[in-house]
Amino acid sequence: MTLLTLQFANDKGSILPAGDISDIIPDEEADVAVLEEPEHLTWYHHGKRWKSKFRLVVGVIHTNYLEYVKREKNGWFQAFFLKYVNTWVVSIYCHKVIRLSAATQDYPGSIVCNVHGVNPKFLDTGKKKYEQLQSGNQLFAKGAYYIGKMVWSKGYKELLKLLQDHRKELAGLEVDLYGSGQDSDEVKEAAKKLEVMVRVHPGCDHADPLFHDYNVFLNPSTTDVVCTATAEALAMGKIVVCANHPSNEFFKQFPNCRTYNNGKGFVEATRKALAETPAPLTDAQRHELSWEAATERFLRAAELDQALERKIENIPSKNFASASKNLQKNIEDASACLHYVVSGFETTRRAFGAIPGTLQPDEEQCRELGWAAPVGIGSSRRSPMKARG
């Protein structure tokens, strides 16, 4: 377990590393590295190349950056540029790339596999609901809800539009929205104008008992890669109504997942879901949502045994395939060298959006890592966010 120092970039809504974390990992322990969100961990990385440091580097793609960027000003141009930057840095630093769903950017040689699971408390809630069903108790006294960070891009715009466009077909429907975020005030105002009853509440832990009695989880978002809240709702035994989208492909295997292709389909799926009792999850289905199953999927997808084989990659050979492979490696090495040089100047880093002063760790970070502070580094910089990874 190593300490990774991070800072939050407001303009990107992401955390970015400060300094080179690989420096504190002894070479003799550098076997396998898993980069969660390898794009923004490597955009501004300036240090030893991860693929040279470790025998196997697995990048796990979590976020549909291109979809978010397209919604900004000059979004299509930014998305075009970002697509190639992401492909460039991920290929330089990762041997293997796992995408949580096909909703992410495609990468050469990548595989799609959901390697995430849900907290056991959600599965426990679902199991208790099933036990209550067997006892003849009423399970779900509430109707429909949605929970998520309250920004328009997280599905709120799509949901409110669907509710307004189909207000006659959905007459009598009541929906509760839970979330906090930069667009909270706008969402509240928009909800007040609807002819459908929509109540907006502050954000709350999805495991809170107040959610236990809801019957239907509505999620029209198409910016998620694999929506955690959807997985949690299924684990708690609810019916989920979501868009027929690559981000929801994993959930289609569960009987309580209902997908739709258009507004008419949304109305039909929602009305049907509200009129039904969710089907109890089997033990196999519960396991599929767990972190244990997610870990099993990760081990298969990452092919960790391949790391040992990388020791013999450099055995000389005169055949054409080897020559072609060496040429590809030389091109990749030159590309990595270019990235190292470009990321080493504060001017170019800032030009491409890096947080000022993150080329090296600051005084506080050095003190926590047990390093000597670099010359010229003072304590005037803002304090970093810290996470363990």
Side-chain angles (χ1 to χ4, degrees):
M1 186 75 71
T2 54
L3 183 67
L4 175 57
T5 52
L6 306 166
Q7 290 191 5
F8 187 77
N10 290 314
D11 60 324
K12 299 174 181 62
S14 300
I15 52 175
L16 302 175
D20 179 16
I21 184 62
S22 67
D23 275 351
I24 67 170
I25 302 173
D27 289 342
E28 62 272 15
E29 297 179 11
D31 291 325
V32 178
V34 179
L35 302 185
E36 304 275 355
E37 307 268 24
E39 313 96 310
H40 70 235
L41 287 178
T42 57
W43 283 333
Y44 309 112
H45 175 70
H46 182 72
K48 191 167 184 179
R49 189 176 167 200
W50 291 86
K51 285 168 76 170
S52 299
K53 176 82 175 185
F54 295 87
R55 287 190 288 172
L56 177 65
V57 181
V58 181
V60 182
I61 308 295
H62 291 241
T63 305
N64 190 355
Y65 288 108
L66 303 187
E67 184 63 33
Y68 285 116
V69 169
K70 286 175 186 176
R71 296 175 179 234
E72 299 177 359
K73 184 178 180 180
N74 300 319
W76 286 99
F77 171 76
Q78 292 186 64
F80 177 82
F81 176 73
L82 183 60
K83 177 181 178 181
Y84 287 96
V85 170
N86 286 346
T87 300
W88 181 40
V89 295
V90 170
S91 66
I92 290 173
Y93 292 107
C94 298
H95 294 110
K96 191 91 176 176
V97 179
I98 299 173
R99 300 156 56 206
L100 294 188
S101 79
T104 61
Q105 175 183 335
D106 194 6
Y107 291 87
S110 65
I111 63 172
V112 174
C113 182
N114 177 22
V115 295
H116 278 189
V118 302
N119 190 303
K121 58 189 175 184
F122 295 104
L123 293 166
D124 291 341
T125 298
K127 195 169 185 179
K128 290 176 182 176
K129 281 290 181 184
Y130 176 57
E131 292 170 354
Q132 291 172 7
L133 176 66
Q134 290 182 313
S135 300
N137 296 329
Q138 183 180 5
L139 291 185
F140 302 102
K142 299 180 182 179
Y145 78 107
Y146 174 62
I147 182 172
K149 184 177 180 181
M150 202 161 283
V151 293
W152 285 117
S153 60
K154 279 292 187 179
Y156 286 94
K157 183 177 292 186
E158 291 85 350
L159 179 55
L160 295 187
K161 186 176 188 305
L162 284 166
L163 295 176
Q164 180 62 16
D165 289 350
H166 301 280
R167 56 192 179 279
K168 293 182 179 179
E169 301 99 304
L170 295 172
L173 174 66
E174 297 184 7
V175 179
D176 290 313
L177 306 180
Y178 294 86
S180 300
Q182 63 193 47
D183 296 328
S184 294
D185 292 339
E186 292 183 14
V187 172
K188 290 177 184 176
E189 288 302 312
K192 290 177 182 177
K193 298 175 182 178
L194 298 181
E195 297 176 38
V196 176
M197 176 59 72
V198 176
R199 294 178 288 265
V200 182
H201 309 275
C204 186
D205 187 344
H206 201 186
D208 191 288
L210 75 87
F211 294 106
H212 291 183
D213 290 334
Y214 281 101
N215 188 42
V216 178
F217 178 75
L218 302 175
N219 184 11
S221 175
T222 56
T223 57
D224 289 305
V225 172
V226 174
C227 181
T228 302
T230 297
E232 293 168 350
L234 287 170
M236 288 191 286
K238 305 180 187 307
I239 296 176
V240 167
V241 176
C242 57
N244 185 12
H245 185 264
S247 62
N248 295 317
E249 194 65 32
F250 175 79
F251 302 126
K252 291 180 181 179
Q253 64 183 294
F254 300 97
N256 289 330
C257 177
R258 314 291 168 77
T259 61
Y260 63 89
N261 293 307
N262 49 40
K264 181 180 179 181
F266 172 80
V267 171
E268 292 176 354
T270 300
R271 292 176 64 177
K272 185 177 180 182
L274 289 168
E276 295 180 353
T277 298
L281 291 177
T282 65
D283 289 341
Q285 289 165 350
R286 274 194 291 269
H287 177 72
E288 197 67 12
L289 288 166
S290 71
W291 271 107
E292 287 79 10
T295 302
E296 293 166 3
R297 293 192 294 268
F298 172 78
L299 292 175
R300 289 195 299 268
E303 299 178 320
L304 297 186
D305 57 319
Q306 301 283 324
L308 299 177
E309 299 177 11
R310 298 189 188 280
K311 286 183 175 180
I312 61 173
E313 277 188 351
N314 295 323
I315 296 177
S317 176
K318 295 183 179 181
N319 60 41
F320 176 79
S322 178
S324 176
K325 189 172 184 179
N326 287 336
L327 175 60
Q328 181 180 355
K329 185 178 185 302
N330 290 337
I331 293 174
E332 187 177 285
D333 289 344
S335 183
C337 182
L338 174 62
H339 183 263
Y340 179 84
V341 172
V342 171
S343 64
F345 293 99
E346 188 68 22
T347 303
T348 54
R349 290 172 66 84
R350 292 194 187 193
F352 286 101
I355 300 173
T358 54
L359 178 58
Q360 295 177 315
D362 63 22
E363 188 177 41
E364 181 183 346
Q365 292 168 339
C366 289
R367 184 169 58 251
E368 292 179 350
L369 294 172
W371 292 351
V375 178
I377 296 295
S379 58
S380 60
R381 291 200 206 131
R382 54 185 164 178
S383 176
M385 293 177 63
K386 292 170 281 296
R388 292 193 177 273

